Amino acid sequence: MAVKLDLKGEALKETHSSHIQYIPCNISYDGDAPVDKFFTTYVTEQVAIDESQKKCLTGTFRGYPLQGCVMDVPDGYTGVVLKETRPSLNSDDDRTMRAICQFEKFTFWNWDREPSRGDRFQQAMDWVEIANVIHSGET
């Protein structure tokens, strides 16, 4: 199976104005959702002890507690939202993903615990920086 990425078009000319959310769950729905009405209005910001800490957020999703933080896309990279153009029922079929928007920051959420450097998602973001150092050719 091959995956083709279509990254051209008007969608990538501007940064998306709404905020991207990464919630650790799978939702079997593909369509518009009133996020501003049912999710964003219930998100609260925690007071940071000092200015070196990231902004901590709390919220709920379907009654489950969430704790999150706003993260920037690593320097030199662009966050892109992809949408499959024609979903396939067969996993061996070729797939095409089309870019629908780009973003510079997003909110990373955890179930009932504060996001930390120990989270797999944040460790994956650290690998971007490590890969840059490894492949920079500097000694």
Side-chain angles (χ1 to χ4, degrees), residues 1-132:
M1 166 187 72
V3 177
K4 177 184 172 192
L5 299 179
D6 179 6
L7 300 175
K8 53 189 169 187
E10 298 296 316
L12 295 180
K13 290 189 178 178
E14 293 182 20
T15 302
H16 203 279
S17 61
S18 67
H19 196 76
I20 303 298
Q21 310 279 340
Y22 175 82
I23 299 176
C25 64
N26 184 16
I27 300 169
S28 297
Y29 175 74
D30 185 17
D32 292 336
V35 175
D36 288 336
K37 183 177 179 183
F38 293 109
F39 181 73
T40 308
T41 56
Y42 298 101
V43 173
T44 58
E45 186 175 332
Q46 299 296 312
V47 178
I49 296 170
D50 61 50
E51 299 206 9
S52 66
Q53 292 181 320
K54 285 189 174 186
K55 190 186 328 181
C56 294
L57 306 170
T58 60
T60 61
F61 183 71
R62 294 190 171 186
Y64 292 98
L66 296 171
Q67 291 192 13
C69 67
V70 177
M71 296 179 66
D72 294 321
V73 173
D75 290 337
Y77 290 84
T78 302
V80 179
V81 176
L82 300 171
K83 183 174 184 178
E84 192 165 12
T85 57
R86 186 179 38 101
S88 174
L89 297 175
N90 186 353
S91 62
D92 294 331
D93 289 346
D94 291 347
R95 300 168 67 185
T96 301
M97 306 288 235
R98 182 176 48 90
I100 57 173
C101 71
Q102 69 177 6
F103 58 93
E104 295 174 350
K105 54 179 66 182
F106 59 97
T107 302
F108 170 75
W109 293 99
N110 265 337
W111 298 114
D112 71 5
R113 65 183 167 89
E114 189 175 312
S116 70
R117 305 295 290 181
D119 292 326
R120 289 183 181 178
F121 189 82
Q122 291 202 20
Q123 289 174 350
M125 293 288 105
D126 289 341
W127 271 105
V128 171
E129 187 176 330
I130 293 168
N132 287 337

